[in-house]
């Protein structure tokens, strides 16, 4: 039973194709009894059987490939004529045509379906008129041949409508799955790069559902319209500046894409969706949903970043606060090799005197200047923090032993002790700096106790 289930497709369209293929193959197999001496020509009968077997092979190979052969819409009607002309009556000819249209209408483009259907409809009277079988001449005249055309037309139209409904359902199901997965990835994104990466991946998956579709994200540029992002077959457009009329007459600028949907986004940007024939409506709504998801994720991330900044950063200097700094220090101590993590505890000397003499505004300005100098000293390999009042700290990673840490402290003390021009006065304060370098068995708390500040006044 499990082996049988493995042969059953997962999609509704796949199951319908399987059933239609089975019915068609059985119908074609049943038609073999209709060929056998009715023409009076063994060679004609043999050619009819070959045509019938070829039709069966086309049906099976189409199901196996999951798509029609490019030449199949033209060849199928011709084979129907060859096989039908060797049959012993009109009914098998009609059954043969319906069996082929029933399954082949579930594949291929609309143009291929139209060519196949028109050819198959004409194949019925052509087969009957070409047949040397007396039975067909007697029982099926020209008006009779024309009378079955509505039945055959109804069969192929209904089969195509079923195909369209199932492909639409399959597309919508796959699209919703992509959007759901993208929504989860966007909400879980921790930074802007992760948001954009999730959006690009989702866009590529959506494009895969509609081959040939291209999506451009454009922004205003001094020379026209800049393509800042592209997904689909025209990825080489990224970074190019296109003329402004691409937003109003895209087909005249971008060849190969006959239909375009252009939509304005926030910030003056535009999203352009193009297709060689017609942009699927479901693709437009999918990218609208993806855009809303990206905007929601970015807004959520900005809110999260703002809350994190307020909770973990000093409101005056914007440096990390004590809790944030020690969390970073603990991670660095746990990961960094011994002797490469240095901690500097910094106290400003005579800061209270600046506050008392020149006012709190001058004191705040001085703290901001000190924070800027600490940030410059931290660079890309460290973290500076303000604990409160005139207490600061600096963690450096990748130092080459205590000697380098002491030299950094000396240079920093010199810079902090130099005269600093404020808005209302030029002031000079000292700095007491304690230095400790991580050693085996020393955790973050012990490292902090070792870094006791000492005066570095110039």
């Amino acid at each position: 039973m499990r082996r049988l289930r493995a042969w059953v497709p997962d999609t509704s369209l796949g199951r319908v194709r399987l059933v239609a293929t089975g019915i068609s193959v059985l119908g074609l197999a049943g038609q073999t009894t209709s060929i056998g001496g009715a023409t009076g020509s063994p060679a004609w009968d043999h050619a009819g059987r070959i045509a019938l077997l070829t039709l069966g092979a086309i049906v099976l190979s189409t199901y196996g490939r999951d798509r029609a052969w490019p030449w199949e819409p033209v060849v199928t009607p011709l084979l129907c004529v060859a096989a039908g002309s060797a049959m012993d009556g009109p009914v098998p000819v009609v059954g043969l045509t319906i069996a082929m249209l029933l399954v082949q209408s579930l594949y291929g483009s609309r143009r291929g379906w139209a060519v196949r259907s028109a050819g198959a409809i004409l194949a019925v009277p052509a087969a009957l008129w070409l047949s040397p079988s007396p039975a067909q001449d007697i029982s099926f005249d020209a008006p009779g041949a024309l009378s079955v055309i509505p039945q055959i037309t109804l069969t192929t139209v209904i089969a195509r409508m079923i195909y369209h409904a199932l492909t639409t359902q399959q597309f919508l199901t796959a699209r919703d799955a992509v959007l759901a997965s993208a929504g989860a990835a966007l909400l879980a994104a921790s930074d802007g790069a992760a948001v954009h990466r999730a959006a690009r991946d989702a866009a590529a998956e959506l494009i895969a559902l509609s081959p040939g579709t291209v999506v451009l994200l454009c922004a205003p540029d001094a020379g026209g319209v800049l393509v800042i992002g592209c997904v689909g077959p025209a990825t080489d457009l990224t970074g190019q500046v296109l003329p402004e009329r691409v937003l109003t007459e895209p087909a005249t600028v971008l060849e190969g894409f006959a239909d375009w949907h252009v939509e304005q986004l926030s910030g003056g940007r535009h999203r352009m969706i193009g297709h060689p024939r017609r942009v699927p409506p479901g693709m437009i709504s999918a990218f609208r949903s993806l855009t809303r998801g990206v905007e929601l994720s970015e807004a959520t991330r900005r809110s999260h970043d703002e809350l994190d900044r307020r909770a973990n950063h000093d409101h005056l200097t914007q440096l990390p606060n004590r809790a944030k700094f020690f969390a970073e220090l603990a991670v660095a101590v746990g990961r960094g090799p011994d002797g490469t993590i240095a901690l500097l505890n910094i106290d400003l000397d005579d800061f209270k005197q600046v506050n008392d003499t020149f006012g709190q505004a001058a004191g705040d300005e001085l703290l901001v200047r000190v924070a800027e100098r600490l940030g410059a000293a931290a660079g890309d390999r460290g973290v500076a923090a303000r604990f409160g009042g005139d207490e600061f700290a600096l963690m450096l990673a990748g130092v080459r032993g205590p000697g380098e840490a002491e030299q950094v402290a000396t240079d920093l003390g010199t810079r902090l002790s130099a005269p600093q021009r404020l808005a209302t006065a030029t002031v000079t304060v000292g700095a007491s700096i304690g230095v400790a370098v991580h050693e085996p068995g020393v955790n973050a708390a012990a490292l902090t106790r070792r870094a006791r500040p000492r005066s570095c006044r110039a």
Side-chain angles (χ1 to χ4, degrees), residues 195-213:
V195 170
H196 296 155
R197 185 167 54 252
R200 285 195 302 269
D201 292 345
E205 291 183 38
L206 290 174
I207 291 296
L209 299 178
S210 178
T213 303

Side-chain angles (χ1 to χ4, degrees), residues 23 37 39 72 85 101 113 119 122 178-179 190 225 231 233 248 286 315 318 332 335-336 353 367 388 417 433 437 441:
I23 294 174
T39 63
E72 179 271 329
S85 64
L101 289 178
W113 166 77
L122 296 176
V178 171
L179 292 176
S190 58
V225 177
V231 182
T248 55
H315 73 281
Q318 303 304 312
R335 294 179 179 177
Q353 183 178 348
L367 292 175
S417 301
I433 303 178
V437 177

Side-chain angles (χ1 to χ4, degrees), residues 216-217 221 225-230 234-242:
L216 307 179
L217 184 61
D221 187 81
V225 177
L226 174 65
V227 180
I228 60 177
C230 178
T235 53
D236 56 335
L237 292 175
T238 302
Q240 292 191 23
V241 178
L242 305 177

Side-chain angles (χ1 to χ4, degrees), residues 301-338:
R301 183 177 55 83
R302 286 194 297 268
S303 299
H304 179 272
D305 291 345
E306 178 63 19
L307 291 174
D308 178 75
R309 188 188 64 79
R310 292 184 179 183
N312 296 304
H313 291 75
D314 175 56
H315 73 281
L316 176 63
T317 64
Q318 303 304 312
L319 292 178
N321 59 18
R322 185 186 298 269
K324 176 75 171 178
F325 178 80
F326 280 113
E328 296 281 351
L329 178 62
V331 172
V333 168
R335 294 179 179 177
D338 296 335

Side-chain angles (χ1 to χ4, degrees), residues 27-122:
L28 293 175
Q31 302 300 339
T32 56
T33 59
S34 300
I35 302 176
T39 63
S41 171
W44 198 305
D45 293 343
H46 185 62
R49 293 190 185 94
I50 293 177
L52 198 60
L53 290 174
T54 304
L55 289 172
I58 289 176
V59 171
L60 291 175
S61 63
T62 300
Y63 178 78
R65 297 174 73 245
D66 201 31
R67 62 184 184 277
W69 296 95
W71 41 260
E72 179 271 329
V74 176
V75 173
T76 292
L78 297 177
L79 292 173
C80 287
V81 172
S85 64
M87 293 180 175
D88 58 5
V91 174
V93 178
V94 175
L96 166 68
T97 306
I98 290 178
M100 288 303 301
L101 289 178
L102 177 65
V103 62
Q104 296 303 112
S105 295
L106 299 175
Y107 298 90
S109 65
R110 186 180 301 176
R111 180 181 300 176
W113 166 77
V115 171
R116 182 192 306 110
S117 299
I121 291 172
L122 296 176

Side-chain angles (χ1 to χ4, degrees), residues 435-454:
V435 182
V437 177
H438 175 244
E439 297 175 356
V442 177
N443 56 24
L447 190 65
T448 304
R449 289 193 296 268
R450 293 186 178 189
R452 295 180 180 178
R454 63 179 184 275

Side-chain angles (χ1 to χ4, degrees), residues 27 60 96 105 112-113 123 145 158 187 228 279 298 312 349 365 382 392:
L60 291 175
L96 166 68
S105 295
W113 166 77
I158 291 178
L187 290 177
I228 60 177
V279 176
E298 289 180 338
N312 296 304
D349 300 334
E365 186 180 359
F392 293 85

